[in-house]
Every structure is written in C-alpha cells, then in structure tokens.
Amino acid sequence: MEERMKRFAKRYNHLDTGRGKTIWEDLISILEAFLSGDVFTAYSDFYTLFCDNISKMRLFTIKSGANLYRMRSGSSAKVEYVSEYEMGHIPFELNHLVGNERFSMSGLPSLYLASSIYACWEEIHRPHFEYTSCALFKAKGDIKVIDLTAQKYYKFNDEIFSDCLTLACSFIVEHPDAPFKPEYVIPQLLLQSLVRYLRENKECTTYGIKYTSTHINDPYLWINFPKSNKNLKLFFYK
C-alpha cells in the first residue's frame, strides 16, 4: 500500500513538492502507524490533519428533491430485501452486523446511495435482477457533503487536501474477499474524523462523503465514466 502511494507521488508532481508533499508524507506516515498497530497515533494524527484543512475542503451540495438510489441483493429468489425498513441502513440495534467498508467502520451503520440504479448495480457487482430490490430516496433538504470524486485534472491549489484525500481514498482493493483491506484505512479514518468533528462543532452541516466508485473501471462498459463524459449524470448527482 505504501509503495502504491509512492507511485502516485511520481505520477503527480505536486505530491512531491511543497504543501502537497507535506500532506502526502503525513498520510503515508499515518498509514504506517496504523499498519504497525499504533492505531491511536494514526487516528490522532489524521484528525489533526483533517481539522487543519477542513475549512478549505472541496464540498458539494445535494439539492433538496434530489433522487438517489440504493440496491440490495439476495443470494437466491428466497432471500430478497422487500420491506422499506430493510432498504435503509442497518438499524443501530443491529450494529453487530456492520462490517468494514470503504467509508464505514464496524459497528457504525452508514447509508450508501448512488445517482442511478445502474451505478448501484455496478457497485454491487452486477447481481441477478431477480434477486435484487431497489429503493428511491428523495432529499428533503439541501445536504452538504465532502467531495472526493475523481477529477479529470487535479489542480492542487487551495483544495489540495481534497485532491490528496481523493487520490488516497481511490485505490482499487487488491484482495476484495479478505477480511482486512488496507485500501480502506484512510477512507475510514476520514469518516471517523467527520463523525467526531460533527459532535465537537455543532455549527458544522457537512453530513456525508461523495466519492467515485472504484468498481466502475472497465473501459468496455456500455456506459463508462470518466472516458465518456456524456454519461456523467449516471454516476454523479449534478
């Protein structure tokens, strides 16, 4: 994982100079601490970095009335998710069922939504439609979220922390069936930091994270982003 981050620094010159270099080296150091078992230092250092930069992070507002979608799949025709209750996030009283995902951690239910049913289908690895259920969610008000979507061109300007985080949170998982995924360490630290920041700063109104799926990377998809910008709305609410 550390070597993959260093390769990113070679690809993007701004990660090897100035403030970009400082942030990127901090992220690598945080990852090293976590992987060596010093989870407390990793979290503390990341939270400090997060608080120092949150005022300049790239944000996005999901407008009131926006349509967002969620899809769940069963293993067979007898295992389906049909109730409205089951299409939300896992209830807090069932938090023992919550595992580690890219932007969620064990024990803390998170709600993953997409801007199209197609994006949901790709994200959960194209399950058979007979064994899936879909739900439509409508935003009742404006929702402000951290924007970590992949950029066509990274400018590394005032929002350099967002650019660095976007890259650090976008690694494709090498071992998707393994119980631990080092690619999820920094995204999960980000979620933990946002949760803590919301509790400590009541005036904060940022309640989620917008990001690019790492599953939609097949250049031969009949619909593809970012190679085909005309299909952008299928992957991102605009």
Side-chain angles (χ1 to χ4, degrees):
M1 188 64 196
E2 181 183 344
E3 289 302 316
R4 293 163 77 185
M5 292 185 73
K6 289 180 178 178
R7 287 198 294 270
F8 257 149
K10 293 180 180 179
R11 184 188 309 176
Y12 300 99
N13 293 334
H14 288 82
L15 299 182
D16 201 30
T17 58
R19 186 159 172 258
K21 178 181 177 68
T22 301
I23 293 173
W24 200 246
E25 288 182 345
D26 284 346
L27 291 175
I28 292 177
S29 177
I30 288 166
L31 182 63
E32 288 176 341
F34 188 98
L35 295 178
S36 66
D38 192 356
V39 177
F40 177 79
T41 296
Y43 174 73
S44 298
D45 289 352
F46 186 91
Y47 188 65
T48 299
L49 188 64
F50 176 81
C51 292
D52 289 344
N53 291 277
I54 188 172
S55 62
K56 293 185 178 180
M57 291 190 73
R58 188 163 47 245
L59 301 178
F60 180 84
T61 300
I62 300 172
K63 297 296 185 181
S64 178
N67 292 334
L68 297 167
Y69 302 89
R70 175 167 165 78
M71 179 181 287
R72 295 187 69 177
S73 64
S75 58
S76 69
K78 294 183 179 179
V79 183
E80 298 176 342
Y81 301 98
V82 295
S83 73
E84 179 180 345
Y85 182 72
E86 291 177 304
M87 290 305 294
H89 67 64
I90 294 176
F92 288 103
E93 63 268 22
L94 298 178
N95 61 0
H96 60 280
L97 299 176
V98 180
N100 287 317
E101 301 296 341
R102 184 174 299 276
F103 288 98
S104 56
M105 50 197 175
S106 293
L108 181 65
S110 299
L111 183 62
Y112 286 80
L113 301 173
S115 58
S116 69
I117 292 176
Y118 173 74
C120 292
W121 184 62
E122 291 287 0
E123 180 69 8
I124 60 175
H125 308 294
R126 301 184 178 186
H128 199 293
F129 282 115
E130 290 185 2
Y131 308 150
T132 62
S133 296
C134 299
L136 167 67
F137 290 76
K138 269 189 173 294
K140 290 186 177 181
D142 290 353
I143 304 172
K144 190 185 300 182
V145 295
I146 294 172
D147 187 354
L148 295 186
T149 54
Q151 305 293 301
K152 192 170 185 180
Y153 301 105
Y154 291 93
K155 299 178 181 179
F156 298 103
N157 50 20
D158 290 343
E159 298 174 342
I160 191 169
F161 184 60
S162 291
D163 288 335
C164 290
L165 267 189
T166 298
L167 294 172
C169 294
S170 62
F171 289 103
I172 296 174
V173 175
E174 286 192 344
H175 305 288
D177 297 324
F180 173 68
K181 302 174 180 63
E183 297 86 355
Y184 289 0
V185 170
I186 293 177
Q188 289 173 356
L189 289 175
L190 171 60
L191 177 76
Q192 293 175 50
S193 296
L194 178 58
V195 170
R196 177 180 173 182
Y197 191 85
L198 283 167
R199 289 181 176 175
E200 296 180 351
N201 299 270
K202 301 301 182 182
E203 73 280 4
C204 180
T205 56
T206 302
Y207 295 112
I209 301 167
K210 177 185 178 187
Y211 68 99
T212 305
S213 170
T214 58
H215 297 162
I216 305 173
N217 61 349
D218 183 352
Y220 299 103
L221 290 178
W222 67 278
I223 294 175
N224 188 50
F225 174 81
K227 295 184 180 298
S228 180
N229 287 328
K230 66 181 180 180
N231 299 310
L232 187 62
K233 289 183 178 180
L234 284 169
F235 293 92
F236 299 115
Y237 167 73
K238 299 293 287 181

